[in-house]
Amino acid sequence: MELYKKIGIGTVQFGLNYGISNTLGQTNSEEVANILSYCKTNGITILDTAYGYGDSEKVLGQNVLKEFKIISKFLSPKDTISIAEQFKISTERLKTKKLYGYLAHRPMDVYENPSQWEEIKNMKSNGFVEKIGFSFNTPKEIDLVLEAAMIPDLVQVPFNFFDNRFEEKLIFLKENYNCEIHTRSVFLQGLFFTNPDKLPDFFNPIKALLKDFKETHANLTGSLLKYALSKPFIDCVIIGVNNIKQLKENMNSLEESVIPKRNIEQIIPNEILIPSHWPQS
């Protein structure tokens, strides 16, 4: 299926216990190998990882990765070691000398420290990285880096049926800079699969919306995936899976689903769209 080619695999679960609906914990090495084998067979080529994803890069590096386009991210040097040292460790873990993409996990730190942008530009010029850019958290961050003439080759942003905050900015990046657009959080860290009645009061503003979406879309996974995959300005939709069974179910769901129409009139509070703002429990 052509849509498979717009799917990428997020690998945070390979190195950490991650996600509100994740009851399976960290993915073991055998399952990771099975997932990668399936990806090779089905034309899924993007792997998204990061220096800060626990053992993710190390686990990936236990496999042959030459058929994949690997994207990693660096943390702010003020919080950890230098960008150069992070890059060295990431590539050693992954057992590769080059990366397809290298993104700033903290765009505002790069904005406030332009030398960091120059450093990754030099990595690109020297052939260690094909594309550089940012993993954005807010649309305002895009405005600021563009004003600073930090033009990305590749960006990653959250995007899903509830969260369309970035759409206008992404279209602008695509049309004006031919930027490669990757999106994450298509399932909003699993929130779409939870029982609305069992969510804490924090989620009250979207409980009715969530319940309605679940009731009107029998194939929840496929509908959510197709919504993002159908957007022409999106080049890759990053999904996280815990095992090969889950990945196959996600892919099979595309064959039996329709693209949902978005007719949400209410404004969804940003704190609900941003998982880092959710209550810890």
Side-chain angles (χ1 to χ4, degrees), residues 100-103 117 120-121 124 129-134 150-155 173-174 177-182 235:
Y100 177 70
Y102 203 40
L103 309 181
W117 184 247
I120 61 172
K121 280 175 65 179
K124 177 185 172 183
V129 178
E130 187 169 334
K131 298 191 176 188
I132 59 174
F134 304 91
M150 298 176 180
I151 309 302
D153 306 309
L154 172 64
V155 301
L173 284 171
K174 175 63 67 178
Y177 301 108
N178 194 30
C179 184
E180 186 170 332
I181 308 294
H182 292 195
D235 297 293

Side-chain angles (χ1 to χ4, degrees), residues 138-203:
T138 69
K140 180 62 176 176
E141 291 175 340
I142 297 179
D143 294 333
L144 291 173
V145 300
L146 292 182
E147 288 170 8
M150 298 176 180
I151 309 302
D153 306 309
L154 172 64
V155 301
Q156 185 189 112
V157 304
F159 186 91
N160 55 64
F161 186 77
F162 280 173
D163 189 358
N164 281 205
R165 291 173 296 148
F166 287 85
E167 183 161 349
E168 182 180 334
K169 306 290 185 188
L170 298 180
I171 292 171
F172 178 84
L173 284 171
K174 175 63 67 178
E175 292 181 347
N176 290 274
Y177 301 108
N178 194 30
C179 184
E180 186 170 332
I181 308 294
H182 292 195
T183 62
R184 63 180 184 269
S185 201
V186 68
F187 303 131
L188 200 49
Q189 280 199 19
L191 185 65
F192 283 101
F193 302 108
T194 59
N195 182 342
D197 295 329
K198 293 185 178 180
L199 289 171
D201 292 345
F202 174 84
F203 294 98

Side-chain angles (χ1 to χ4, degrees), residues 90-105:
S90 288
T91 51
E92 286 177 350
R93 288 170 174 169
L94 292 161
K95 294 183 172 59
T96 183
K97 294 182 179 179
K98 300 178 181 180
L99 294 174
Y100 177 70
Y102 203 40
L103 309 181
H105 225 150

